């Protein structure tokens, strides 16, 4: 079946460090891919998305590129801030309109 | 603020209690969802409603009973829960159908079953 695998956390970085959170997926057809972020005490918020191969989603300095050849959608940010501390979820929406989420990766950014 | 609200935000209940979770969306969406979020596990989709009709029930135990009286409101009725049902319950909504559709989440209800 369809699934999403993302790197285990927690991840701890110093402010201004480079961030990569890996995400790979398994799906038939051409799913849409998403990154959601969950700040403490809140629900999930859409961070960015890409709906077809080679698309790049970007928002708030975060980027992810839909790579069909490697079935990946890694999240990157060049310089993280303390306010980026949150849990990040990779997700796919398959052609049957079903969402699948990864387990989440907790990020803590220290000053 | 995503346009999806959930009440209560926190709930503690005994195994013999009956309670209900409420979700309301102000986005004009037609699809609504219940998810269960447990520590170190992927989000588990529980129920999907599209235009007030239940279109998915992912083998959820009958002690969870959803209700969708209209496209803006979704309830999750709880009775005789077990301690392992303790989790964050998230409601989400989307336009309804279609490829590449984004789901908008509420803040969740943190449930503790004693």
């Amino acid at each position: 079946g369809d699934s999403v695998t993302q790197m285990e956390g927690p991840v701890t970085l110093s402010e201004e460090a480079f961030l990569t959170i890996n995400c790979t997926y398994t799906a038939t057809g051409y799913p849409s891919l998403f990154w959601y972020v969950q700040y403490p005490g809140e629900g999930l918020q859409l961070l960015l998305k890409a709906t077809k191969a080679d698309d790049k989603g970007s928002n708030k300095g975060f980027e992810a590129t839909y790579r069909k050849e490697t079935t990946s959608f890694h999240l990157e940010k060049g310089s993280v801030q303390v306010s980026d501390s949150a849990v990040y979820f990779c997700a796919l929406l398959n052609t049957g309109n079903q969402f699948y989420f990864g387990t989440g990766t907790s990020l803590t950014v220290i000053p | 603020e995503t346009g999806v609200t959930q009440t209560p935000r926190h709930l503690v209940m005994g195994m013999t209690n009956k309670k209900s979770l409420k979700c309301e969306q102000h986005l004009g969406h037609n699809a609504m969802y219940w998810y269960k979020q447990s520590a170190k596990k992927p989000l588990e989709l529980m129920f999907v409603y599209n235009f007030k009709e239940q279109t998915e029930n992912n083998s959820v135990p009958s002690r969870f009973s959803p209700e969708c009286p209209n496209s803006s409101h979704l309830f999750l009725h709880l009775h005789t829960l077990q301690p392992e049902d303790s989790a964050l319950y998230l409601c989400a909504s989307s336009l309804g159908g279609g490829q590449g559709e984004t789901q908008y989440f509420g803040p969740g209800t943190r449930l503790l079953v004693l």
Side-chain angles (χ1 to χ4, degrees):
Chain A
D2 296 352
S3 65
V4 173
T5 303
Q6 60 182 105
M7 65 185 279
E8 295 272 335
V11 174
T12 302
L13 294 173
S14 297
E15 208 165 21
E16 299 184 4
F18 184 85
L19 168 72
T20 300
I21 301 178
N22 290 339
C23 171
T24 56
Y25 67 90
T26 301
T28 53
Y30 298 90
S32 296
L33 301 174
F34 302 77
W35 277 100
Y36 280 84
V37 58
Q38 185 177 32
Y39 297 103
E42 298 183 19
L44 277 67
Q45 300 175 29
L46 178 67
L47 181 59
L48 53 85
K49 69 178 184 181
T51 57
K52 59 183 188 295
D54 299 325
D55 267 2
K56 178 187 282 189
S58 61
N59 185 26
K60 299 181 182 178
F62 290 89
E63 292 183 340
T65 301
Y66 188 149
R67 302 279 188 205
K68 187 151 181 69
E69 63 275 14
T70 53
T71 61
S72 65
F73 193 55
H74 304 321
L75 182 68
E76 297 182 336
K77 186 173 185 181
S79 175
V80 293
Q81 306 299 312
V82 172
S83 57
D84 294 325
S85 298
V87 181
Y88 292 82
F89 291 87
C90 186
L92 74 82
L93 177 66
N94 67 13
T95 51
N97 217 32
Q98 295 171 308
F99 259 95
Y100 292 85
F101 286 84
T103 52
T105 302
S106 174
L107 169 67
T108 300
V109 180
I110 52 177
Chain B
E1 181 63 46
T2 61
V4 181
T5 58
Q6 289 185 244
T7 54
R9 293 293 307 274
H10 301 272
L11 179 62
V12 180
M13 59 188 288
M15 289 191 285
T16 58
N17 291 158
K18 286 186 179 181
K19 297 286 184 184
S20 295
L21 309 185
K22 179 183 175 182
C23 175
E24 185 173 358
Q25 57 94 2
H26 311 275
L27 301 169
H29 289 168
N30 295 300
M32 297 187 77
Y33 310 77
W34 279 117
Y35 286 89
K36 177 182 179 183
Q37 184 180 19
S38 304
K40 301 202 185 301
K41 294 170 95 173
L43 264 68
E44 301 171 48
L45 179 64
M46 300 174 72
F47 300 104
V48 181
Y49 277 82
N50 225 327
F51 293 89
K52 300 188 298 176
E53 298 295 322
Q54 185 174 310
T55 58
E56 190 147 349
N57 173 343
N58 273 359
S59 303
V60 180
S62 59
R63 57 187 184 269
F64 295 91
S65 173
E67 179 190 359
C68 188
N70 54 61
S71 293
S72 300
H73 294 86
L74 183 64
F75 295 89
L76 187 62
H77 303 301
L78 316 171
H79 63 98
T80 58
L81 293 192
Q82 303 298 310
E84 60 264 30
D85 297 322
S86 299
L88 181 68
Y89 288 85
L90 291 166
C91 173
S93 72
S94 66
L95 276 171
Q99 179 72 355
E101 203 170 277
T102 299
Q103 291 190 0
Y104 294 82
F105 285 82
T109 295
R110 176 72 62 187
L111 173 67
L112 176 62
V113 181
L114 301 176

